[in-house]
Amino acid sequence: MSPVRTPKQAAAVAAVVQRGSTSLTLRRLRRDPASMIAAVFILLLVLFALCAPLIAAWTGHGPNEQFRDTGLSPSGTPVAPGGQFLLGTDQLGRDVFVRLAYGAQVSLMVGVLASLAAATIGVVVGVVAGYLGGVVDTILSRVMDLVMSVPFLLCAIALVSVFGPSLPLSVAVIVFFSWTALGRVIRGQVLALREREFVEAARSLGASHVSIMIRDLLPNLAVPILIYSTLMIPSAIVFEATLSFLGLGVVPPTASWGGMLAEAGNNSVYLVAWWLVIFPGLTLLGATLSFNILGDGLRDALDPRSQMGRGR
Amino acid sequence: MKLSRYLLSRIGFGLVVLFALSLFVFLLFYLAPGDPARAIAGDKANNELLEQVRQNLGLNRPIGEQYLSFIGNLLQGNLGFSFRNQLPVTGIILDRLPVTLSLVVGGVVLWLAIGVPIGIASARRPGTVRDRAGQTFALLGISFPTFVLGMMSLYLLYFLPTRAGFPIFPPSGYVPLTEDPLQWAWHLILPWTTLALVTAAIYARLTRGQMLEVLGEDYIRTARAKGLTERRVIYKHAFRSAMPPLVTQLGNDVGFLLGGAIVIEQVYGLPGIGNLAVTSVQAQDRPTIIGVVLVGGIFIVAVNLIVDLCYVLLDSRIRTAS
């Protein structure tokens, strides 16, 4: 390599732009069509949820309003999609499209809130256990093992039977049984990180344990936190939908995807009205699929080495 | 020496789990609003009768004493009596067990038969079309909510053919194996398949990841260099080392499902333990709920202990350490 550059080479060098890791990650993510489609779907879903009141106003159908005259056939069965009801009506003559939008609010809110809360707990417990080690680590690790070996759906059932079904209780149950996976991952990462020189350097500079955990360890954990939190969202959404499906989550008549599917399943109404299963079912599937694809895409984009391991 | 210590610590942990679970349900229902005596005696009961019921159940005694007698009964396999029909809860759960057991055993066989080969095939030729297809299957399976898949397959495979005049599958329900093995299997095919498809995805991913890791090891190269057939390398050498995490996952899944494959049982109208749990909540039948939760915990602990034993057999490091 000679240090002398032809004008052409010099131009090429000048054209090289320095990019931060964030912009590199975004570039990699943008080149993955599956991730982009997933991201667009999620954006549309968020828009759909935010516009729920607008949709209700535009159609003139409230989410819990029953249209016994127009929304039910003379024999009392749900009306098929088309015309006045874009996605048909349910067994009570309510507008499926409007309820789907309001259900999106519940699903997304629970999915994101529960994941954020669970991620926070997981990170705190994981960092503390991994960094402090010793007795604290043993206790916290055992607690994680304990939470993981409890029949969570049965415990949720027991809790609901005592306190009655409600949205806050659902979120609490989801958070309580979701934080452990991230907790374990973070603990493992911290076990490796705490032996590194920069931690030793911080310690010799007189940094306190809390400062090391927050200022030195936490930034190094951004990648697993981001990936695992994203992948936690679809699980939380399915968890909520499952609870609502079993009548243990959102209380009717409030619309939720799981609740809509449960009502469709009651008396097998959906056998004569396929739209009661297809629309909430596919929306739910689309949501979980998108978050899973995006999570996988983020992992590949943030950690290009993992692609080699994955054989791409 | 080390081996027995390892097993003892696993058993000890299992007991801690069960203790925590018993404390959780006991406190939950002890502190719960509502009067269990009234739940048993009914709304029209007078105070005298209520007092009588409380006396019988020992509800007037101090909390510690109540917990000890609760544990004492538990150890004798006595889970109390259902509020709904006054039958012993242990018996009710045992009646439901064959349904859940049938569902889970068939499901396990099927999901392993689907998931593991897909994972191995993916790992052998990473990046190929076959691998992509396997990965897509896994992604779909992981994302599909169980009840959505269940309802869709009921619609497509039961309702549509039946309406068209070609009934293939029965709608729902359960036929005991001892009564009619063919009908038993026939009624369970859709539940088995649904359970297997959503679960196989996890195994396909896990198998692929493990196999990719193992196939990169030196001893695999050695095995190939020795001239072993690819079949032998994959199944005898690589898959064996890839197995432990699969066994752990299997233990977890089976343990959880034996406590009630709640969603599948609900969708397909199977009267298993999960269905019992859901109907008991609707009926506010506390003894049965407590019983189901505890039995669910016992299954998880028991299956995990079996997994720990399998580990000893699978992993020569643990074995030689003894």
Side-chain angles (χ1 to χ4, degrees):
Chain A
M1 277 281 169
S2 102
V4 183
R5 292 192 179 110
T6 63
K8 207 175 170 187
Q9 277 173 327
V13 169
V16 173
V17 185
Q18 187 188 356
R19 292 180 213 279
S21 65
T22 314
S23 84
L24 274 175
T25 302
L26 283 175
R27 275 169 68 89
R28 284 194 209 106
L29 204 57
R30 256 199 308 255
R31 264 184 304 218
D32 179 16
S35 295
M36 284 334 287
I37 295 172
V40 168
F41 185 84
I42 292 169
L43 279 179
L44 287 177
L45 209 58
V46 171
L47 211 63
F48 185 47
L50 288 176
C51 291
L54 290 177
I55 294 170
W58 171 59
T59 54
H61 302 153
N64 301 325
E65 223 174 319
Q66 303 180 5
F67 298 92
R68 290 179 183 281
D69 304 323
T70 51
L72 290 174
S73 72
S75 56
T77 55
V79 169
Q84 197 191 338
F85 298 96
L86 215 53
L87 299 182
T89 62
D90 67 5
Q91 69 291 343
L92 294 175
R94 294 174 297 192
D95 191 324
V96 170
F97 186 53
V98 175
R99 286 180 69 74
L100 208 56
Y102 277 91
Q105 290 185 342
V106 172
S107 282
L108 290 175
M109 209 171 66
V110 171
V112 172
L113 280 185
S115 301
L116 278 180
T120 311
I121 298 175
V123 169
V124 170
V125 173
V127 169
V128 169
Y131 179 72
L132 292 182
V135 186
V136 179
D137 181 29
T138 310
I139 294 175
L140 289 178
S141 295
R142 284 286 156 262
V143 169
M144 285 191 265
D145 288 346
L146 191 70
V147 172
M148 280 181 146
S149 36
V150 159
F152 56 90
L153 212 45
L154 288 175
C155 285
I157 284 178
L159 280 165
V160 168
S161 78
V162 168
F163 297 108
S166 72
L167 194 56
L169 183 61
S170 306
V171 176
V173 167
I174 296 171
V175 170
F176 184 77
F177 289 109
S178 307
W179 62 272
T180 48
L182 183 60
R184 277 191 173 176
V185 171
I186 295 294
R187 173 184 170 272
Q189 300 263 330
V190 171
L191 279 182
L193 280 175
R194 72 167 183 193
E195 306 300 335
R196 298 266 293 271
E197 290 81 358
F198 68 90
V199 174
E200 204 177 316
R203 202 173 294 143
S204 51
L205 284 172
S208 68
H209 288 320
V210 178
S211 151
I212 292 177
M213 284 191 256
I214 296 175
R215 298 191 49 180
D216 299 304
L217 292 178
L218 207 53
N220 283 291
L221 298 167
V223 170
I225 293 175
L226 190 61
I227 295 168
Y228 275 83
S229 307
T230 311
L231 289 174
M232 234 189 261
I233 295 176
S235 325
I237 290 178
V238 171
F239 204 153
E240 186 278 322
T242 305
L243 288 177
S244 294
F245 177 75
L246 295 173
L248 309 170
V250 175
V251 191
T254 305
S256 69
W257 296 342
M260 290 170 79
L261 285 161
E263 284 166 13
N266 278 342
N267 309 319
S268 303
V269 184
Y270 72 100
L271 295 182
V272 291
W274 52 267
W275 54 93
L276 292 183
V277 168
I278 291 299
F279 295 129
L282 287 185
T283 320
L284 181 55
L285 176 62
T288 55
L289 204 53
S290 304
F291 278 108
N292 276 328
I293 292 173
L294 191 65
D296 285 356
L298 267 177
R299 183 187 54 205
D300 294 346
L302 284 166
D303 186 5
R305 273 170 308 165
S306 76
Q307 283 192 326
M308 284 186 276
R310 296 173 78 234
R312 287 240 188 113
Chain B
M1 193 57 222
K2 238 179 177 172
L3 179 64
S4 58
R5 258 188 69 185
Y6 165 75
L7 285 179
L8 270 181
S9 80
R10 301 308 302 165
I11 293 171
F13 179 68
L15 290 177
V16 170
V17 171
L18 291 181
F19 170 73
L21 208 54
S22 73
L23 203 60
F24 163 74
V25 282
F26 178 79
L27 285 179
L28 185 63
F29 287 98
Y30 183 86
L31 301 172
D35 184 355
R38 192 164 283 284
I40 295 176
D43 290 336
K44 293 185 209 91
N46 56 23
N47 284 335
E48 209 172 311
L49 184 60
L50 286 178
E51 197 53 40
Q52 181 76 43
V53 172
R54 284 193 195 109
Q55 204 75 44
N56 288 347
L57 289 174
L59 293 174
N60 295 332
R61 288 180 295 159
I63 178 168
E65 212 175 295
Q66 281 194 46
Y67 180 68
L68 284 181
S69 77
F70 170 72
I71 292 289
N73 284 330
L74 213 61
L75 291 176
Q76 295 166 26
N78 177 4
L79 290 167
F81 297 88
S82 161
F83 283 176
R84 254 187 298 184
N85 46 21
Q86 320 305 328
L87 292 172
V89 170
T90 319
I92 298 179
I93 293 177
L94 285 179
D95 281 347
R96 303 289 193 117
L97 187 57
V99 184
T100 302
L101 203 60
S102 306
L103 179 59
V104 174
V105 170
V108 167
V109 172
L110 206 53
W111 86 51
L112 286 180
I114 298 172
V116 172
I118 289 182
I120 292 181
S122 280
R124 282 177 72 173
R125 303 243 186 288
T128 56
V129 178
R130 195 167 58 173
D131 180 28
R132 292 281 169 120
Q135 298 246 67
T136 309
F137 164 80
L139 188 65
L140 267 174
I142 283 168
S143 303
F144 236 117
T146 313
F147 53 97
V148 175
L149 186 62
M151 291 173 91
M152 286 182 177
S153 49
L154 258 182
Y155 184 78
L156 291 176
L157 295 172
Y158 152 66
F159 180 69
L160 285 186
T162 307
R163 194 177 55 177
F166 302 102
I168 310 174
F169 292 105
S172 58
Y174 174 76
V175 178
L177 176 64
T178 46
E179 204 171 279
D180 185 348
L182 212 64
Q183 282 298 317
W184 169 79
W186 208 233
H187 277 76
L188 281 169
I189 287 183
L190 285 185
W192 279 337
T193 317
T194 309
L195 180 59
L197 285 178
V198 292
T199 321
I202 301 166
Y203 288 78
R205 272 198 171 179
L206 201 58
T207 308
R208 181 182 185 274
Q210 284 298 313
M211 287 295 281
L212 275 179
E213 212 161 286
V214 174
L215 286 174
E217 301 266 350
D218 286 343
Y219 70 88
I220 295 295
R221 201 177 344 159
T222 311
R224 282 189 177 132
K226 278 199 305 189
L228 292 185
T229 58
E230 188 65 12
R231 245 186 112 79
R232 212 173 153 75
V233 172
I234 295 286
Y235 290 96
K236 191 81 186 169
H237 292 249
F239 184 61
R240 200 188 154 93
S241 331
M243 260 172 80
L246 286 174
V247 175
T248 306
Q249 179 75 30
L250 188 64
N252 261 327
D253 288 341
V254 171
F256 273 100
L257 285 172
L258 281 179
I262 303 173
V263 176
I264 299 257
E265 288 174 18
Q266 257 342 77
V267 171
Y268 288 102
L270 297 171
I273 297 179
N275 171 268
L276 179 67
V278 174
T279 50
S280 299
V281 171
Q282 286 153 4
Q284 283 291 309
D285 186 352
R286 290 182 186 181
T288 311
I289 300 171
I290 294 179
V292 172
V293 173
L294 289 177
V295 169
I298 291 172
F299 278 131
I300 292 177
V301 167
V303 174
N304 277 322
L305 277 181
I306 297 174
V307 166
D308 290 330
L309 275 174
C310 291
Y311 252 42
V312 176
L313 298 176
L314 269 177
D315 195 329
S316 46
R317 272 168 303 184
I318 300 180
R319 214 170 3 171
T320 44
S322 66

